């Protein structure tokens, strides 16, 4: 049984068909990449899994359980966390407050501070800036905070939307090193990325979306050399 199974998912915004009949799986322990042009439906797919948009059709199963209609906070409680596009940290709250917020669905309050301490070990720059307002962090630091905040719910599945967006190449490499490290520590990851080459180099499998529909999928190591992907997403 896959950890995540999306079956025949369709999502509309009014008359716009953002996702059409999408079927995909993510196995426990995998990093899976979703690539596609702007507007292909990648963010919408993640938002359907984290239950922020309502599917028009299809089913979403998590660890075998039908979550198609659960509330977003229930999805977090079940083990799904999203680091959203554009990071969306609370700019006027401290780093520490943002991390505490990430744990809002947890009932084991006594372990939360210990987990925050662990985040500061993994992301030392967040530790140094724990009392600083999140809005004063650099873009890369805010991205790390967004990931750390998502991890605070102790997810089994981490949804990452464009983690490299707007960041300098050296920071992008750092973010991807963190993604690989998290995966080695057992976190399953569904990744949406514009930086298709790096995303494929850091993932087990890739799905390609075009205008809301799946056009190609397979092992990332194979697709990174596939002509169709090369031309469409890797600049030749
Ligand atoms: P990007 O890389 O630009 O974020 P994407 O692949 O993530 O693109 P989505 O954001 O899922 O694509 O958008 C899919 C389609 O749905 C696009 O045509 C977009 O304009 C439309 N769309 C997305 N969000 C909304 C919304 N809240 N209301 C109306 N239309 C929307």
């Amino acid at each position: 049984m896959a950890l995540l199974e999306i079956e025949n998912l369709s999502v509309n915004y009014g008359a716009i068909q953002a996702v059409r009949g999408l079927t995909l799986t993510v196995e426990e322990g995998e990093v899976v990449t979703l690539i596609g042009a702007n507007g292909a439906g990648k963010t919408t797919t993640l938002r359907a899994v984290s239950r922020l948009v309502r599917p028009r059709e299809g089913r979403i199963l998590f660890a075998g359980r039908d979550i198609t209609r659960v509330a977003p906070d229930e999805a977090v409680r079940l083990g799904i966390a999203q680091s959203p596009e554009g990071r969306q940290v609370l700019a006027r709250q401290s780093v520490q407050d943002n991390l505490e917020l990430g744990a809002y669905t947890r009932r084991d309050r006594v372990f939360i501070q210990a987990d925050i301490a662990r985040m500061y070990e993994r992301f030392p720059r967040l530790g140094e800036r724990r009392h600083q307002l999140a809005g004063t962090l650099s873009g890369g630091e805010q991205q790390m905070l967004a990931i750390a905040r998502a991890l605070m719910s102790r997810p089994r599945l981490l949804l990452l939307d464009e983690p490299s967006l707007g960041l300098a190449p050296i920071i992008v490499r750092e973010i991807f090193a963190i993604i690989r490290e998290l995966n080695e520590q057992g976190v399953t990851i569904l990744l949406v990325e514009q930086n298709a080459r790096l995303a494929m180099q850091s993932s087990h499998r890739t799905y390609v979306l075009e205008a809301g529909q799946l056009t190609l999928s397979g092992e990332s190591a194979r697709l990174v050399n596939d002509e169709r992907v090369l031309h469409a997403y890797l600049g030749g």
Side-chain angles (χ1 to χ4, degrees):
M1 176 179 59
L3 182 60
L4 177 70
E5 297 175 65
I6 299 179
E7 294 174 2
N8 193 33
L9 177 73
S10 294
V11 183
N12 286 17
Y13 299 106
I16 296 169
Q17 294 186 295
V19 175
R20 315 173 194 206
L22 174 68
T23 293
L24 68 78
T25 58
V26 180
E27 302 288 336
E28 183 115 54
E30 274 191 311
V31 179
V32 170
T33 298
L34 204 50
I35 59 173
N38 285 337
K42 307 179 298 293
T43 296
T44 302
T45 301
L46 293 191
R47 289 171 62 83
V49 175
S50 55
R51 302 298 311 108
L52 298 171
V53 296
R54 180 193 299 260
R56 189 175 66 83
E57 233 186 319
R59 285 207 310 169
I60 302 170
L61 304 180
F62 182 69
R65 174 174 170 171
D66 190 335
I67 61 157
T68 317
R69 277 169 190 82
V70 306
D73 61 333
E74 180 63 10
V76 176
R77 234 173 255 124
L78 290 170
I80 299 171
Q82 181 162 4
S83 170
E85 185 173 6
R87 310 186 269 271
Q88 299 179 24
V89 297
L90 295 180
R92 299 172 66 87
Q93 305 272 341
S94 69
V95 167
Q96 175 90 16
D97 289 345
N98 271 273
L99 291 178
E100 284 176 7
L101 189 80
Y104 79 104
T105 57
R106 281 172 56 175
R107 300 202 178 91
D108 56 340
R109 307 305 298 178
V110 290
F111 297 114
I112 290 175
Q113 292 307 321
D115 277 4
I116 289 178
R118 221 167 290 137
M119 291 303 158
Y120 291 152
E121 277 170 35
R122 178 179 280 152
F123 303 97
R125 274 183 299 188
L126 296 183
E128 289 160 20
R129 292 162 175 74
R130 65 186 74 186
H131 301 302
Q132 210 168 301
L133 297 186
T136 66
L137 300 178
S138 72
E141 289 160 358
Q142 287 189 23
Q143 184 59 60
M144 287 174 198
L145 179 56
I147 293 172
R149 181 182 58 184
L151 291 172
M152 283 302 298
S153 64
R154 292 195 172 181
R156 285 175 76 185
L157 175 66
L158 180 62
L159 308 173
L160 293 177
D161 198 350
E162 304 275 10
S164 80
L165 196 70
L167 302 179
I170 186 166
I171 310 292
V172 172
R173 282 197 290 277
E174 209 176 313
I175 297 282
F176 273 88
I178 289 166
I179 290 171
R180 284 190 292 264
E181 196 184 296
L182 288 172
N183 180 245
E184 279 157 20
Q185 290 162 359
V187 185
T188 303
I189 297 170
L190 179 56
L191 170 69
V192 163
E193 237 322 302
Q194 289 288 331
N195 192 330
R197 185 183 302 276
L198 198 49
M200 285 192 273
Q201 285 166 349
S202 308
S203 62
H204 301 96
R205 289 187 302 116
T206 295
Y207 289 90
V208 181
L209 268 182
E210 276 173 44
Q213 284 179 307
L214 200 67
T215 53
L216 212 56
S217 66
E219 282 177 26
S220 302
R222 190 170 58 75
L223 281 188
V224 81
N225 294 313
D226 187 299
E227 290 224 336
R228 293 162 293 182
V229 177
L230 272 172
H231 286 293
Y233 303 102
L234 302 176

